[in-house]
Structure formats: structure tokens, C-alpha cells
Amino acid sequence: MTIHGALIAGTGSCVPERQLTNFDLEKMVDTSNDWIVQRTGIHERRIASAGESSASLAIIAAQRALATANTSPAEIDLIICATITPDMPTPSNACLIQQALGCRRGIGAMDLNAACSGFVYALVTATNFIKTGSAKTVLVVGAETLSRITDYTDRSTCILFGDGAGAAVLKQTTDRSVGVQAFELGSDGTGSMLLHVPAGGSRQPATAESVGAKLHTLKMSGREVFKFAVAQMSESIQKAINACGLTSDQIKLVIPHQSNARIIDSAATKIGLTADRMFVNIHRYGNTSAASVAIALDEAIRAGRCGPGDWVVIIGIGGGLTWATVTVKL
Ligand code: COA
């Protein structure tokens, strides 16, 4: 079997217009701009309007990625959409994207749930389809409307989350030295209740009571998740660097999951990476789960922070618990 390369040929992203600032949140719960900035690094986040959904944001992000990759929807062989907030439990967001883009009938389309690690899990899945020759062009999307499952009376969670989508087009190439060169997928279900939505699934179907008690919103043990993320992020980045026999000096940019600026700073310090080599946009978007590193990758490339030939480490960490890392040569 011939093993191919899988190039990230183009990226795109889309965030809602509407901003929710820390000052807006001060009027909604007992919090302050200073507390949120100091503890998280977040200044504002984007919130979907009534007409928007995770699929509608995903479709625009995908169109932008296709334009950048100079690729037509007809070329797509497979769509993978990472999300924990699909428009509906079924059909998948991926099918809604397939229809909206006008892709060929019969291509593969599926959603993937690995919470905040979802986009990196999807990148790895897409890469392996391409490497083995099962697909030539794959559209990978991370899309969330976390505002739809956030309790805006709970100050410990509502300050963190936002909405948005990012996408990447992966294309088969004969050059195996580009694209994902190493990856790690991880999980630890013993921490599954540290970040969860109690109701609305098959264990506790939605009822008037469950909705009244806000059991369809995210519940998080912030301190425990924080400790896990701090330890996991530095360990995974270091492993990703070692996996390709690189030193940290050779990494042009790390694109970490944007959940808390303190988690990112602590990982950078442990690994000895200067702040300019960690991409950060959490101040503008908060934590957008599966969309987080997808948006960050697109913004980093468009800002010229990384480009063809550069080594980049992308890392997702989140609910499940899950983590996922790729070492990519762009
Ligand atoms: N405004 C003001 N005070 C707040 C607050 C808010 N929005 N949220 C919590 N507090 C209070 C707490 O009630 C607590 O008060 P107490 O000491 O009187 O009990 C105090 O601030 C400290 O709370 P704690 O939870 O220990 O704060 P923290 O430093 O751990 O920061 C998070 C809280 C949520 C910012 C932090 O734990 C975090 O980022 N966790 C990980 C989040 C994450 O990554 N989630 C997604 C998975 S990737």
C-alpha cells in the first residue's frame, strides 16, 4: 500500500458578530472584569444570534477554507465535523454542511465528539484516511455554539465559553514530509463527570423538570479540570516535539486549546517556549471547545505567524477527559 502525505491546503473560520464582554457579564452575575481577566485572560467572547447555529457558522468557515485551498465542494471526499453542540442530535452537522456546500451525493459525512480535543481528533482521522488512500480531499471542521448549553446564572462557567467555527481542507500529496507527522490521542474516562451536561441524552432525557433545573447546561469542576489541563498540556507538547526528533527551538508556533491563559502560560514556562511562540486569542473568543484550535490555526496562518515549511504543534484538551496533539509540517 502506498502511504501518501496529507497537506493542510487551506483554513477558514467564522465567529458571530455579537460580542459578550466581561462588563456585560458584570451585569448578569456576581463577577468583575478584573477577576475574569486575571483568572482566565478572557476579555470578551462571541455569541450566536437567534438565526445562527453551529452548522451555519461551520458552513461559512468551510467556504472560507475551500476558497483559501482553491478547492471546489465537488472535490471533497469526506467531511468530519467536531462538535458537542450539533444543530440537532441527528442529522449530523456534517450532513448539513454536505448539503449546504453542494458536495457530491454519496461522500462520507460524520460528526465527532471529543469535546475540546475534537478538532485535533478530526485532523488525525482525516490524515489517516488520506495517508491510506481512502480519501483525497477531506474537509475538517470544529464548530460550537456553547452559549446554547451555558447557564448564564452560573458565574463559574458562563465567563468562559463562546461560539465560533474553524475549518481546514486536507489534500493528498505525494510529499510525505508535509502535514501531520506525529500524533497522540488520549482519554481518561475516570474524569468524565468533571465536565459534563447531565440531561438531554439517553441517560436522563429532557423533561420540563430537567430543563427547569438547567440540567441541559455545562457543569464543570473548574479546579480539577484546571489541574489536569496544566499537567497534560506541557506533557503532551513535549511528547509532540520529541516524537519528530525536534527540539523546542525548531517549533515555529504552538497552537494550544484556548481554555485559560494561565494554562497556556504555565505550559510555555515548563517547556521553555517564549510567549511569542504560543498562539493566544482567548482574550477575544474565550473557550470555543472544538472550534478553539481550528479558529486559532486559521488566524495564526492569516497573521503570518506560521506558514509553509514551519513546524507547528496543535493541542486540544478537554471534556471526556480527552487530549490530542499533532506535530505538523505546514
Ligand atoms: N467571578 C468572581 N469570583 C468567582 C468566579 C467569577 N466568575 N468564579 C468563581 N469565583 C470564586 C469562587 O467562588 C471562589 O471563591 P471562594 O474562594 O470564596 O470559594 C474563588 O473565586 C476561586 O475559585 P476557583 O474555582 O478556585 O478559581 P480558579 O482560580 O480555579 O479559576 C476557573 C476558576 C474556572 C477560571 C479555572 O478553574 C479554570 O480555568 N478551570 C479550567 C477550565 C477549563 O479549562 N475548562 C474547559 C476544559 S478544557
Side-chain angles (χ1 to χ4, degrees):
M1 183 174 67
T2 312
I3 301 293
H4 306 271
L7 173 76
I8 298 179
T11 58
S13 58
C14 173
V15 293
E17 287 284 308
R18 197 177 137 212
Q19 293 173 338
L20 180 69
T21 67
N22 293 347
F23 299 104
D24 296 328
L25 284 163
E26 282 182 354
K27 295 177 201 133
M28 297 160 67
V29 287
D30 179 14
T31 192
S32 69
N33 174 57
D34 285 351
W35 192 95
I36 301 172
V37 172
Q38 275 171 23
R39 299 292 180 115
T40 70
I42 302 168
H43 290 247
E44 60 193 35
R45 51 306 280 137
R46 299 300 180 98
I47 305 294
S49 61
E52 289 174 315
S53 66
S54 61
S56 77
L57 299 172
I59 289 159
I60 297 169
Q63 285 166 334
R64 291 177 180 163
L66 287 166
T68 313
N70 201 16
T71 299
S72 84
E75 292 172 68
I76 297 170
D77 301 316
L78 174 66
I79 299 174
I80 309 173
C81 181
T83 184
I84 59 164
T85 49
D87 278 26
M88 294 165 258
T90 191
S92 66
N93 265 7
C95 280
L96 299 177
I97 296 167
Q98 185 263 351
Q99 187 235 340
L101 294 181
C103 300
R104 299 193 317 274
R105 181 178 186 276
I107 65 166
M110 60 180 165
D111 283 4
L112 187 157
N113 179 340
C116 305
S117 312
F119 184 74
V120 185
Y121 263 77
L123 270 185
V124 171
T125 308
T127 296
N128 287 331
F129 269 88
I130 290 179
K131 282 196 167 188
T132 54
S134 308
K136 283 199 166 81
T137 303
V138 183
L139 174 65
V140 180
V141 189
E144 302 284 14
T145 41
L146 293 181
S147 64
R148 302 276 155 80
I149 57 165
T150 295
D151 176 359
Y152 286 97
T153 64
D154 174 8
R155 69 176 183 175
S156 70
T157 54
C158 73
I159 57 153
L160 296 170
F161 302 119
D163 302 337
V169 175
L170 269 65
K171 286 190 136 179
Q172 192 181 78
T173 157
T174 51
D175 182 1
R176 280 159 52 184
S177 73
V178 295
V180 174
Q181 300 298 305
F183 69 86
E184 181 196 15
L185 300 183
S187 65
D188 176 7
T190 62
S192 53
M193 291 301 128
L194 296 179
L195 182 54
H196 74 299
V197 178
S202 60
R203 189 181 294 190
Q204 198 175 345
T207 59
E209 289 72 30
S210 74
V211 173
K214 296 195 167 81
L215 297 180
H216 60 293
T217 61
L218 278 162
K219 312 293 174 202
M220 184 179 70
S221 306
R223 231 172 271 187
E224 283 73 21
V225 175
F226 185 87
K227 276 191 238 154
F228 152 71
V230 163
Q232 192 62 52
M233 187 172 279
S234 55
E235 185 189 317
S236 283
I237 295 173
Q238 192 61 63
K239 266 191 183 171
I241 296 171
N242 297 346
C244 289
L246 303 169
T247 62
S248 56
D249 297 345
Q250 290 170 278
I251 303 297
K252 178 77 186 231
L253 195 64
V254 174
I255 300 182
H257 175 49
Q258 310 285 314
S259 56
N260 187 317
R262 288 190 291 146
I263 296 174
I264 298 172
D265 289 347
S266 146
T269 307
K270 275 193 199 160
I271 297 163
L273 283 164
T274 48
D276 61 309
R277 286 199 290 145
M278 302 291 282
F279 188 83
V280 176
N281 63 6
I282 190 171
H283 49 293
R284 290 186 288 134
Y285 303 133
N287 179 352
T288 58
S289 191
S292 163
V293 290
I295 297 170
L297 174 65
D298 180 49
E299 292 198 341
I301 292 173
R302 284 178 197 273
R305 297 278 301 275
C306 57
D310 288 335
W311 283 104
V312 170
V313 170
I314 309 174
I315 171 158
I317 290 186
L321 299 168
T322 56
W323 58 96
T325 321
V326 286
T327 317
V328 184
K329 184 107 175 274
L330 287 178

